[in-house]
Amino acid sequence: MARTHQLAACPRCAEPLDASDLYCGGCGYDLSAVPGPPAGPPPPADWPQARETDGTGRPAPVLRASDLPATVSDTSARPEQPTLPEGVRLPEEAGVPAEPGVRAGGGPRYVTDDRPAEHPEPPDSDYALAAPPPVPPTPPTPPGAGAHVPAQSAAAPVPPRPEAAPEGAQGAPGPNAPAPGTPLPNASPGSPAAGAPASAPEAAPDPRLSPPPPEPGPVCARCGAGRVDADGYCERCGHAQPRPRDHMERELSTLAAVSDRGLRHHRNEDAFAVAATALPDGATAAVAVVCDGVSSATRPDAASLAAAQTAEAALMASLPRGTRPEQAMREAIEQAAEAVNALADEPVLPPEEPGQNAPACTLVAAIVTEELLVVGWVGDSRVYWVPADRSATPYRLTEDDSWAAQMVAARLLSEEEAYADERAHAITGWLGADAYELEPHTAAFRPEAPGSVVVCTDGLWNYAESAEAMAALLPADSGSRPLDAARTLVRYALDSGGHDNITVAVVPYPAPGEPVRLEAR
């Protein structure tokens, strides 16, 4: 190669040079880039300048080629490459492209002009040093990949290259320190190279690719992703969420109940309560209370819930004391009526807003002991008796407080004609502050054969009015599986249209016999 100037020593580190040297054997300086005397162009910006002193006033030692392991000054007689530890590959062998202007192994950076690997001699014309091109992001490096620079995630921004440590800074390499990326002498296989981290850290996950953390609060039952707001609607799909009372089930050892909102109403205005207690003689008494809120009244859901809970509490308090079941039933209905009346003293609408009236509901209940069946009601919810022997006759044990029932009782209309009228379900008795007069009805029966007691609202019996129709729907194993029986009846009402709220309680009667009416009030 023709050069305009013959250098005897490297202009950067003063390393003696041979006539055939293209690069300095001590610092790797590109000798072809020197057009003039040794005081030529400044070194690249990323190579630290030679220091005049070492910070103590003494001359700084000069780094010689012999101080660097695996480095020789004669480029024509380069030694063989050192053997890499097992499992360590060069970036080119691992399929990782080397950064432009960076030697493999983490050695000194120098400017290249995309010449072939053999580095043919450049033309005689002088050229200026070019700035290194921007470094593209490289794929992540597996842990233990040895001497090359750990890569960043493809989606993460490339951090800026670290500046040269200032003179005298803590941790700066000494003059005889091995070059970064050079294997340490007498190092065991798998040891990190000089200047390389002990292990290549894994790239942090890109937060843009990670799913957002779930927000606190209930999750939509329809889409499974949106958060439910305070009004009960999904903020993502807008679907109204099921309320706790939209579908309710409860099973005890002796009875079970199911309530469902239905398909047409926006809320469930029915309520139920089931319980069991011991009588003074040691026998067990099962109690089922079912209430239906009057939709034309204010807060019908609150009225039905208050009535059911109050009646259950009254029965659970009086029956263990030995109170006669018929008297306990009447007292429970009266206390339930007082609880519903008290709701009228809790206005929820502004006084000037029209449409506020007293909360109201119906009530029907059953007490089942080993020898007695007692029912009580106000309104048009019903109790049916279905014998275990389906060849026996089923019965309806209650009479509705309704316009249709009055027409039938007065023999003005037949039952079919009365219930076909649009006024059929207009009730004439209910619990509430605006009720005309509270007239609780009670009746006692002594069945002589096993069977099941079905306590329900009109959301079910509208689709099975007669006792025969109800008995045909009730599963044969209702005595041993009351919850499944209640679910079957609710499903039938939903499949039939579900126009109203549906509530059913099934109470098995273990004693033998056919129900015989004892008394009615």
Side-chain angles (χ1 to χ4, degrees), residues 21-468:
D21 285 347
L22 300 179
Y23 300 90
C24 175
C27 64
Y29 188 79
D30 189 354
L31 302 176
S32 63
V34 183
D46 58 339
W47 186 262
Q49 297 286 347
R51 296 176 293 177
E52 296 290 339
T53 65
D54 59 0
T56 61
R58 294 176 296 180
V62 178
L63 183 64
R64 303 295 182 180
S66 58
D67 296 332
L68 295 175
T71 306
V72 296
S73 59
D74 186 4
T75 58
S76 62
R78 298 182 182 275
E80 295 181 0
Q81 295 293 332
T83 303
L84 295 176
E86 183 179 356
V88 178
R89 295 183 298 171
L90 292 176
E92 296 84 355
E93 298 173 359
V96 180
E99 297 181 8
V102 180
R103 290 182 179 179
R109 302 175 184 271
Y110 61 94
V111 178
T112 63
D113 56 353
D114 297 329
R115 290 175 294 178
E118 291 76 15
H119 297 288
E121 295 183 355
D124 293 339
S125 59
D126 297 335
Y127 58 91
L129 293 175
V135 180
T138 56
T141 303
H148 66 276
V149 179
Q152 299 292 330
S153 171
V158 179
R161 296 181 180 178
E163 300 292 339
E167 182 176 354
Q170 183 178 2
N176 297 324
T182 304
L184 295 175
N186 303 324
S188 60
S191 303
S199 61
E202 296 184 2
D206 186 358
R208 296 172 296 178
L209 304 180
S210 302
E215 298 182 3
V219 179
C220 176
R222 183 174 185 179
C223 68
R227 191 176 66 86
V228 179
D229 60 18
D231 295 332
Y233 291 87
C234 176
E235 295 181 346
R236 178 178 179 182
C237 66
H239 183 68
Q241 300 302 295
R243 298 177 176 89
R245 290 178 61 178
D246 282 0
H247 186 88
M248 300 178 291
E249 296 183 356
R250 190 176 182 194
E251 181 182 26
L252 303 180
S253 59
T254 55
L255 72 164
V258 177
S259 181
D260 193 89
R261 177 172 58 93
L263 305 179
R264 300 297 181 89
H265 283 242
H266 70 284
R267 65 181 175 185
N268 190 359
E269 298 171 355
D270 288 358
F272 70 83
V274 292
T277 187
L279 300 177
D281 59 359
T284 300
V287 173
V289 183
V290 171
C291 298
D292 184 358
V294 178
S295 297
S296 59
T298 302
R299 301 168 62 196
D301 54 335
S304 62
L305 184 61
Q309 293 177 343
T310 303
E312 177 204 12
L315 292 172
M316 290 298 98
S318 60
L319 290 174
R321 294 198 304 260
T323 305
R324 294 176 57 248
E326 301 93 319
Q327 180 182 352
M329 179 65 75
R330 175 176 289 275
E331 293 175 354
I333 295 176
E334 292 173 349
Q335 293 182 31
E338 294 175 0
V340 176
N341 293 346
L343 296 177
D345 299 330
E346 303 175 3
V348 294
L349 298 177
E352 65 275 5
E353 183 175 343
Q356 179 170 320
N357 52 13
C361 69
T362 69
L363 182 148
V364 64
I367 302 173
V368 178
T369 68
E370 294 182 356
E371 297 180 353
L372 194 65
L373 167 59
V374 176
V375 297
W377 73 95
V378 174
D380 61 349
S381 296
R382 295 180 175 181
V383 177
Y384 290 86
W385 164 259
V386 180
D389 181 6
R390 296 307 169 87
S391 62
T393 304
Y395 292 90
R396 194 183 88 192
L397 305 182
T398 57
E399 298 175 1
D400 298 342
D401 288 327
S402 65
W403 179 90
Q406 286 186 344
M407 294 297 103
V408 174
R411 302 192 179 193
L412 298 177
L413 295 173
S414 67
E415 188 171 354
E416 292 76 11
E417 293 173 341
Y419 282 100
D421 193 283
E422 61 181 6
R423 296 167 291 180
H425 292 281
I427 58 176
T428 58
W430 62 88
L431 304 182
D434 57 355
Y436 298 122
E437 184 179 354
L438 178 62
E439 296 183 2
H441 309 286
T442 62
F445 303 88
R446 181 169 286 120
E448 297 179 356
S452 296
V453 179
V454 178
V455 187
C456 63
T457 61
D458 59 348
L460 172 63
W461 67 254
N462 277 334
Y463 303 106
E465 287 191 23
S466 67
E468 291 76 14

Side-chain angles (χ1 to χ4, degrees), residues 450-510:
S452 296
V453 179
V454 178
V455 187
C456 63
T457 61
D458 59 348
L460 172 63
W461 67 254
N462 277 334
Y463 303 106
E465 287 191 23
S466 67
E468 291 76 14
M470 188 65 68
L473 296 176
L474 189 68
D477 61 352
S478 60
S480 58
R481 304 176 65 183
L483 179 59
D484 289 343
R487 288 172 174 170
T488 299
L489 296 177
V490 171
R491 173 51 56 188
Y492 173 80
L494 292 173
D495 293 342
S496 300
H499 287 73
D500 201 352
N501 305 144
I502 310 153
T503 302
V504 182
V506 177
V507 188
Y509 188 88

